[in-house]
Amino acid sequence: MGNTDADHDAHVMAGYKAALHNPNTSEAAKQHAREVLNVHPAERVAAGYKAALNNPRVSDEAKEHAREVLESGDFEQAHMKSPKRVEAGLKSAAKNPRVSEEAKESARERLEQMHRHEHHEPHA
């Protein structure tokens, strides 16, 4: 898949996210949006990397990493290669005023899971 597909998917996911915050959206439509957002984590990851490219608070090094990941399309490997960046992204999401409370809570839960996992594995 090329960047065109990734761009399209990111726009679709952004539409679902917007529906969650739109007062004119029915509860049934909001529930459908929640379900879709929960089913498509790769697109959410792609959207996060795209957002990083336009965020003035993101370092040049992190932006370069985001470009590399978006070009490769390998979002799962990107997480596996750099748990520190995953952690940084989750921390950022948990504090970002533009992120929904539901997403902030999810980010905090994932951070807690990462820390529990980190403390239970022996370090080599």
Side-chain angles (χ1 to χ4, degrees), residues 32-87:
H32 174 72
R34 284 184 204 97
E35 290 169 5
V36 171
L37 288 167
N38 287 331
V39 171
H40 299 287
E43 284 85 354
R44 287 198 326 256
V45 171
Y49 281 115
K50 287 179 182 181
L53 294 175
N54 299 311
N55 186 336
R57 300 172 114 191
V58 172
S59 71
D60 289 339
E61 178 188 5
K63 286 180 180 181
E64 181 57 31
H65 173 74
R67 277 187 210 88
E68 290 170 5
V69 171
L70 287 167
E71 287 173 8
S72 75
D74 193 355
F75 307 117
E76 189 62 37
Q77 281 291 55
H79 283 317
M80 293 168 59
K81 289 180 185 174
S82 182
K84 291 283 186 200
R85 287 196 172 120
V86 173
E87 181 179 15

Side-chain angles (χ1 to χ4, degrees), residues 3 19 27 46 77 120 124:
N3 283 340
E27 190 52 44
Q77 281 291 55
H120 286 98

Side-chain angles (χ1 to χ4, degrees), residues 3 6 12 18 32 35 39 51 85 91 95 105 109 116 123:
N3 283 340
V12 170
H32 174 72
E35 290 169 5
V39 171
R85 287 196 172 120
K91 285 180 180 178
K95 295 178 182 178
E105 181 60 30
E109 288 172 4
R116 280 195 303 267
H123 295 284

Side-chain angles (χ1 to χ4, degrees), residues 44-45 48-49 52 79 82-97 99-115:
R44 287 198 326 256
V45 171
Y49 281 115
H79 283 317
S82 182
K84 291 283 186 200
R85 287 196 172 120
V86 173
E87 181 179 15
L90 291 170
K91 285 180 180 178
S92 176
K95 295 178 182 178
N96 187 334
V99 172
S100 71
E101 285 305 314
E102 185 178 343
K104 287 180 183 182
E105 181 60 30
S106 175
R108 287 189 287 265
E109 288 172 4
R110 288 188 57 200
L111 280 166
E112 288 175 19
Q113 288 174 350
M114 286 177 73
H115 289 268

